[in-house]
Amino acid sequence: MTKQGTVASLFHDALIYDEPYIAHFIYYALQKKKVTLEDKIEKLYEIELTPEEYEKFQEIKRRDVLLMRPIKLYAIQRNGHLYDFYFAKTPEEAAFLHYQLFGEKVRKVIDAYNKMMDMGIYNTETKRTSTFRELMKEYVKFPVYVCTLEGGGS
């Protein structure tokens, strides 16, 4: 049987293309022997989790046991419609760096990874547009302040 259309191929793609929900779901399903790597992808749609199993799966995903996203994108709202963006391991790291840079203690740190990583940002100095995903590759030390953007407001 060809690997295309198998749980193994989808698992591989989920890891490569940064899809932690799918990757962790497959990982959990494999652990619980609900599927094998050789099964067709369609078998994943037949899996029903009990509330307890779903809770365990969510915990695995939350802990990021596959280490898919050790560095995340966080936003901190400042001065009305301005948002400061940070790459950090935890919201606490982002908040502490924000305090060091701006002298502001914050209670709310927004996890912006899923909504913002592929958003294009124009840099007036370099005269090019990059996504947060591309920008993250430019840094080697974290946490780091990335930029301040104006938000739509509430």
Side-chain angles (χ1 to χ4, degrees):
M1 178 162 124
T2 170
K3 287 225 181 251
Q4 191 171 5
T6 63
V7 170
S9 67
L10 183 60
F11 187 52
H12 175 264
D13 288 351
L15 293 171
I16 297 296
Y17 296 108
D18 190 32
E19 293 292 342
Y21 187 93
I22 295 169
H24 284 92
F25 183 78
I26 292 171
Y27 175 78
Y28 182 77
L30 289 167
Q31 274 191 324
K32 295 298 176 183
K33 301 194 184 326
K34 293 181 180 282
V35 292
T36 68
L37 288 172
E38 294 77 29
D39 286 335
K40 290 191 175 285
I41 291 172
E42 292 75 20
K43 187 159 183 187
L44 291 168
Y45 297 109
E46 300 167 5
I47 295 174
E48 291 186 29
L49 300 179
T50 66
E52 296 79 23
E53 288 174 326
Y54 184 73
E55 227 13 78
K56 287 178 185 170
F57 155 65
Q58 287 287 35
E59 176 62 18
I60 285 172
K61 185 175 70 69
R62 187 192 62 72
R63 287 187 299 133
D64 191 20
V65 299
L66 298 175
L67 301 177
M68 293 184 71
R69 293 182 177 168
I71 303 298
K72 296 170 181 66
L73 176 66
Y74 295 102
I76 296 174
Q77 187 173 3
R78 181 169 52 100
N79 299 334
H81 298 299
L82 293 180
Y83 290 83
D84 298 314
F85 288 87
Y86 300 89
F87 290 129
K89 289 181 180 178
T90 66
E92 294 80 17
E93 276 187 356
F96 185 69
L97 181 55
H98 184 82
Y99 175 72
Q100 289 178 314
L101 295 175
F102 300 104
E104 296 175 351
K105 290 187 179 184
V106 295
R107 284 190 225 130
K108 184 176 181 184
V109 178
I110 302 161
D111 182 346
Y113 196 99
N114 288 331
K115 289 185 177 181
M116 304 290 290
M117 280 304 282
D118 294 312
M119 184 181 114
I121 305 159
Y122 182 74
N123 184 323
T124 54
E125 291 175 18
T126 63
K127 299 199 182 338
R128 69 182 183 108
T129 300
S130 301
T131 65
F132 280 107
R133 190 176 309 278
E134 292 166 334
L135 290 172
M136 187 163 42
K137 294 175 185 172
E138 296 177 12
Y139 297 100
V140 292
K141 188 177 177 203
F142 300 95
V144 65
Y145 164 78
V146 183
C147 67
T148 300
L149 297 175
E150 190 169 347
S154 26

